[in-house]
Structures are given as structure tokens and as C-alpha cells.
Amino acid sequence: MEKYLIAIDEGTTSTRAMLYSLKENKFVESVSRPIKQFYPEPNWVEEDAEEIFSETLFCLNKMIEKANNPNFVLGIGVTNQRETVIAWDKVTGKPICNAIVWQCRRTADFCKNIPPKTLDMIRDKTGLINDAYFSASKIRWILDNVEGAEEKAEKGDILFGTIDTWLVYK
């Protein structure tokens, strides 16, 4: 019986899946699909979370088909955009807005206005510098700017995550 691993690369501009043969000790097949990006304002970058999921599912299914039997796939690994943020309704499972991509700079001014004492605490706890690249300011932006987001979050009706969290949730 052939045994495979599938690697999923959910990147900034495309989704790629690769089938790795443990018997042959090499990648034997791959498929890639583009992901559309939206630029609603200068320095803003968004993507459709449902498109990300559907393209990932498409690529994954192609690799399972190539393996001839899902039981031959022993594991699936995911690498992704890391700091891209998705917010979705806990009840419906639907995104409440487009994903905010890691390279989006819409929260740069917010980050500049974080008090130095808070920045020190963040750096001490996480080792991270203050930058709009990271997820937290994007989540704050969604809460402040997407209609009803703050109220839903207070009720526990919104889930936030990065791309890997979204894919596992779906």
C-alpha cells in the first residue's frame, strides 16, 4: 500500500497542495490556484475567506484523488500567511468581513498611538515589536469598524483566527 503526505501552502497570492510519496521519498504531484486580492484603499489588502477555503479544498481534493484512496494519506500539513486575520460568525460560520492580509497597513496609525508602557508590556510578554503586520491590531480594527462586530464579540458570537485556524474550523 502506497503512503502519502499532503502539504498545503496557503500563501498570499495562491493556494498550493503537494502530494509527497513516502515510498518514493519525493513530491509526486502538485496543484496551485490563485487567490484574488482586493485593495479597497491605498495600503489596504484584503482577501475573501470563503475563496481561500474553497481553493484549499479544491487543491486538497486533487491530491487525494491522485493518491487513489484517502486512506493512503497519512497526514496533512499546512503552512500559511501567519498574520492574515479572519473574523467569522460563531453561529453561521460565515466571515463577517474580508480577511485582512498580513501586508495591510490600515492599522499603522493605531499602532503608532499605543502608549510606550503598553508597548514595553507587549514586548516583554511576546518578544514582538509594535507593527501593523501583527494580528492584534487587525482584530481591533474589525471590532471598531465592522458593523455589529463589537456587540457580537461581547456576546461571544465571533471567532477570530489566522488562515490555519480558519481552515481547521471549516
Side-chain angles (χ1 to χ4, degrees):
M1 174 175 85
E2 182 71 83
K3 296 177 185 173
Y4 297 98
L5 299 174
I6 296 176
I8 297 171
D9 176 11
E10 179 43 63
T12 305
T13 59
S14 70
T15 299
R16 182 176 311 114
M18 296 158 280
L19 187 65
Y20 183 83
S21 167
L22 292 171
K23 180 180 178 182
E24 297 178 42
N25 200 30
K26 68 177 186 177
F27 285 102
V28 294
E29 187 74 31
S30 70
V31 63
S32 180
R33 303 278 286 205
I35 298 292
K36 293 181 203 97
Q37 293 188 317
F38 306 97
Y39 306 93
E41 293 191 26
N43 298 313
W44 287 29
V45 187
E46 299 178 355
E47 294 177 345
D48 179 337
E50 293 289 5
E51 178 190 17
I52 291 169
F53 174 70
S54 67
E55 296 301 353
T56 301
L57 195 58
F58 175 88
C59 291
L60 179 61
N61 284 330
K62 286 294 183 190
M63 294 303 94
I64 291 171
E65 287 173 20
K66 183 68 177 176
N68 293 318
N69 184 329
N71 294 324
F72 295 169
V73 178
L74 302 181
I76 300 169
V78 177
T79 183
N80 69 103
Q81 304 175 37
R82 292 180 298 276
E83 297 297 328
T84 295
V85 171
I86 300 170
W88 63 97
D89 186 292
K90 186 177 178 180
V91 177
T92 67
K94 300 289 183 194
I96 65 166
C97 59
N98 279 337
I100 301 177
V101 177
W102 62 271
Q103 62 202 141
C104 183
R105 302 302 297 170
R106 74 182 68 191
T107 63
D109 288 340
F110 171 84
C111 290
K112 286 179 188 173
N113 292 315
I114 296 174
K117 188 174 181 177
T118 303
L119 293 175
D120 291 341
M121 182 212 40
I122 292 168
R123 191 172 28 260
D124 290 346
K125 288 186 175 203
T126 67
L128 300 174
I129 61 168
N130 177 30
D131 194 275
Y133 165 80
F134 297 110
S135 301
S137 66
K138 293 173 178 64
I139 292 170
R140 182 73 260 168
W141 188 93
I142 291 168
L143 292 170
D144 291 343
N145 292 281
V146 174
E147 187 175 336
E150 183 86 44
E151 295 78 17
K152 284 185 175 191
E154 287 172 2
K155 291 185 213 172
D157 290 340
I158 292 181
L159 300 173
F160 293 93
T162 51
I163 299 294
D164 51 344
T165 307
W166 169 248
L167 295 175
V168 170
Y169 169 83
K170 291 291 278 182

